């Protein structure tokens, strides 16, 4: 076989792989859509559950002081007071039990929730196949432009969610919000950001591409999970505040919010995921600086991408510091977390599309 024929065959093979990748991405969107409707059905069945409607009533019963206990030791009798039962607590917060989940204790709702998770797993595997096929078609890491970054980012976000479920964490309530945004992300990717398979610009030909960009994708996926839980925390906290003041939330708010975990639980969850990934984001910036030194002969040049990566780091550092500072816990810290995630989003979308610089690899 001549060199020209071999080259032509390789090009044809890469084109077939690119077509396969596109087919798998569209197929995953179809399965994600089915999962979306299954999650919706879980919430609908859960809204009719009496368990869901009476979840708030458990607070009073759970926090009542239990009767004393009589203990006999060495012929003498001692009376011990049982401690109060605390279901969920945070400094200065209410003691509120976690809601029963999206299914609201309804058996049919729980069934549809399990179906939704199964469909999510299937869609994730199909999408992962699409990402791998894209990588094979370009013979490199599949994140050389915004289209590739998007399809990889949403894959990793779903992987984070499924990993938490596999670890027996109570996060199925996250499924509907996650799948909704994943569908939006993939829709934007295949319509606005799509870029045909191509080779990298010279500056990206480095093993640091695998290190720096992969960690950035993982950090963004975890930051996203933290942002969703933070938003839900703000809604749940307002709901609990209204109940504590004797107010009556609307029917929809009651049906929806009382099935979520307590605000203290959501707050703790978002803090833990953000705190866990913050050191990795620090490493991502350091790795990018080292790569810049190899590629451009300088470690830091205040390029827009570098600047906003640093601003994002500062914003999350302020959030973590606020969590440890009296008077800044709760809603104030939550607002900082959302500002920090907004910085991350602008660092990706805004800088890549609207701001020029040495990191302009949007491909759109």
């Amino acid at each position: 076989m001549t060199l020209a024929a071999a080259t032509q065959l390789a090009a044809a093979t890469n084109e077939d792989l690119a077509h396969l990748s596109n087919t798998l991405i569209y197929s995953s969107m179809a399965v994600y859509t089915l999962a979306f409707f299954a999650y919706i059905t879980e919430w609908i069945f859960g809204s009719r559950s009496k368990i869901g409607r009476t979840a708030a009533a458990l607070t009073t019963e759970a926090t009542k002081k239990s009767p004393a206990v009589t203990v006999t030791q060495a012929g003498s009798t001692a009376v011990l007071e049982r401690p109060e039962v605390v279901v969920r607590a945070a400094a200065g917060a209410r003691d509120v039990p976690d809601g029963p989940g999206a299914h609201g204790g309804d058996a049919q709702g729980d069934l549809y929730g399990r179906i939704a998770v199964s469909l999510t797993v299937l869609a994730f595997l199909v999408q992962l196949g699409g990402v791998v096929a894209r990588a094979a078609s370009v013979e490199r890491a599949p994140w050389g432009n915004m289209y590739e970054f998007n399809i990889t980012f949403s894959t990793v976000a779903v992987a984070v969610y499924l990993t938490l479920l596999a670890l027996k964490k109570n996060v199925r309530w996250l499924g509907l919000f996650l799948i909704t945004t994943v569908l939006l992300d993939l829709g934007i990717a295949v319509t606005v950001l799509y870029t045909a398979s191509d080779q990298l610009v010279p500056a990206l030909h480095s093993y640091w591409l695998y290190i720096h960009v992969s960690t950035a994708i993982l950090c963004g996926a975890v930051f996203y999970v933290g942002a969703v839980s933070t938003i839900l925390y703000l809604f749940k906290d307002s709901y609990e505040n209204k109940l504590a003041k004797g107010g009556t939330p609307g029917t929809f708010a009651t049906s929806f919010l009382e099935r979520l975990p307590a605000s203290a639980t959501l707050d703790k969850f978002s803090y833990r995921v953000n705190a866990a990934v913050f050191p990795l984001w620090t490493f991502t910036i350091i790795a990018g600086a080292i790569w810049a030194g190899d590629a451009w002969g300088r470690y830091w040049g205040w390029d827009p991408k570098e600047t906003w990566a640093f601003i994002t780091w500062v914003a999350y550092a302020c959030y973590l510091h606020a969590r440890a500072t009296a008077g800044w816990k709760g809603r104030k810290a939550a607002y900082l977390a959302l500002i920090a995630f907004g910085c991350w989003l602008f660092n990706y979308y805004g800088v890549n599309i609207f701001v020029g610089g040495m990191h302009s690899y949007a491909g759109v």
Side-chain angles (χ1 to χ4, degrees), residues 17-28 123-138 142 147-148 151-152 155 197:
L17 288 171
H19 178 71
L20 174 62
S21 173
N22 295 340
T23 301
L24 290 173
I25 293 299
Y26 278 105
S27 299
S28 70
F124 164 75
L125 294 175
V126 174
Q127 185 182 5
L128 180 61
V131 173
V132 172
R134 176 74 177 198
S137 70
V138 294
Y147 168 73
E148 295 173 356
I151 62 175
T152 306
T155 304
S197 300

Side-chain angles (χ1 to χ4, degrees), residues 172-254:
R172 203 166 82 188
W173 47 268
L174 183 64
L176 177 61
F177 312 100
L178 172 70
I179 298 308
T180 302
T181 50
V182 165
L183 283 171
L184 290 173
D185 177 79
L186 291 177
I188 293 173
V190 300
T191 56
V192 179
L193 303 177
Y194 181 77
T195 305
S197 300
D198 199 0
Q199 296 303 309
L200 296 172
V201 297
L204 295 181
H205 282 285
S206 172
Y207 61 88
W208 283 106
L209 174 69
Y210 296 88
I211 301 173
H212 172 66
V213 183
S214 63
T215 55
I217 291 173
L218 177 59
C219 289
V222 178
F223 284 150
Y224 161 77
V225 171
V228 172
S229 59
T230 299
I231 293 173
L232 294 178
Y233 156 74
L234 291 173
F235 280 105
K236 187 63 181 280
D237 183 64
S238 296
Y239 171 78
E240 291 177 1
N241 280 331
K242 192 168 187 177
L243 288 177
K245 294 177 181 178
T248 304
T251 303
F252 176 78
T254 300

Side-chain angles (χ1 to χ4, degrees), residues 11-363:
T13 302
N14 290 345
E15 184 177 348
D16 291 339
L17 288 171
H19 178 71
L20 174 62
S21 173
N22 295 340
T23 301
L24 290 173
I25 293 299
Y26 278 105
S27 299
S28 70
M29 292 176 66
V31 182
Y32 278 131
T33 302
L34 295 177
F36 169 80
F37 284 115
Y39 281 116
I40 286 287
T41 306
E42 178 189 16
W43 281 93
I44 290 174
F45 275 107
S47 66
R48 68 181 188 177
S49 171
K50 292 182 179 179
I51 296 178
R53 296 193 190 100
T54 58
L58 296 175
T59 308
T60 304
E61 296 300 324
T63 56
K64 282 182 178 179
K65 201 168 186 178
S66 302
V69 182
T70 302
V71 180
T72 303
Q73 292 180 338
S76 62
T77 301
V79 178
L80 303 178
E81 293 291 334
R82 287 192 180 186
E84 292 183 359
V85 177
V86 178
V87 183
R88 284 289 185 272
R94 301 164 297 274
D95 295 333
V96 178
D98 287 341
H103 56 81
D106 184 87
Q108 286 182 294
D110 183 62
L111 174 62
Y112 277 101
R114 294 176 184 275
I115 292 174
V117 172
S118 299
L119 289 171
T120 302
V121 172
L122 177 59
F124 164 75
L125 294 175
V126 174
Q127 185 182 5
L128 180 61
V131 173
V132 172
R134 176 74 177 198
S137 70
V138 294
E139 300 179 351
R140 57 169 171 78
W143 43 71
N145 51 59
M146 287 189 67
Y147 168 73
E148 295 173 356
F149 192 101
N150 263 44
I151 62 175
T152 306
F153 168 77
S154 54
T155 304
V156 175
V158 176
V160 171
Y161 167 66
L162 294 177
T163 299
L164 291 172
L165 286 177
L167 294 175
K168 306 299 182 182
K169 302 299 181 181
N170 178 25
V171 295
R172 203 166 82 188
W173 47 268
L174 183 64
L176 177 61
F177 312 100
L178 172 70
I179 298 308
T180 302
T181 50
V182 165
L183 283 171
L184 290 173
D185 177 79
L186 291 177
I188 293 173
V190 300
T191 56
V192 179
L193 303 177
Y194 181 77
T195 305
S197 300
D198 199 0
Q199 296 303 309
L200 296 172
V201 297
L204 295 181
H205 282 285
S206 172
Y207 61 88
W208 283 106
L209 174 69
Y210 296 88
I211 301 173
H212 172 66
V213 183
S214 63
T215 55
I217 291 173
L218 177 59
C219 289
V222 178
F223 284 150
Y224 161 77
V225 171
V228 172
S229 59
T230 299
I231 293 173
L232 294 178
Y233 156 74
L234 291 173
F235 280 105
K236 187 63 181 280
D237 183 64
S238 296
Y239 171 78
E240 291 177 1
N241 280 331
K242 192 168 187 177
L243 288 177
K245 294 177 181 178
T248 304
T251 303
F252 176 78
T254 300
S255 174
F256 171 75
L257 293 174
E258 70 183 6
R259 284 179 278 159
L260 292 175
S263 62
T265 302
L266 291 169
D267 184 42
K268 185 185 299 183
F269 175 75
S270 60
Y271 167 68
R272 285 178 175 177
V273 295
N274 286 327
V277 81
F278 181 73
L280 188 60
W281 181 248
T282 304
F283 170 78
T284 301
I285 296 177
I286 295 173
I290 296 174
W291 187 8
D294 291 342
W296 300 316
R298 52 82 173 155
Y299 294 102
W300 196 267
W302 295 105
D303 183 77
K305 177 71 72 173
E306 298 168 350
T307 302
W308 276 95
F310 179 68
I311 291 174
T312 302
W313 184 91
V314 172
Y316 273 107
C318 290
Y319 162 71
L320 296 176
H321 178 71
R323 288 284 312 206
T325 304
W328 273 90
K329 294 182 179 180
R331 299 184 69 87
K332 291 181 180 179
Y335 293 139
L336 285 177
L338 294 181
I339 291 173
F341 185 68
C343 291
W344 187 91
L345 285 178
F346 182 79
N347 182 39
Y348 175 53
Y349 286 101
V351 172
N352 281 354
I353 297 177
F354 304 111
V355 182
M358 300 181 72
H359 289 80
S360 298
Y361 307 126

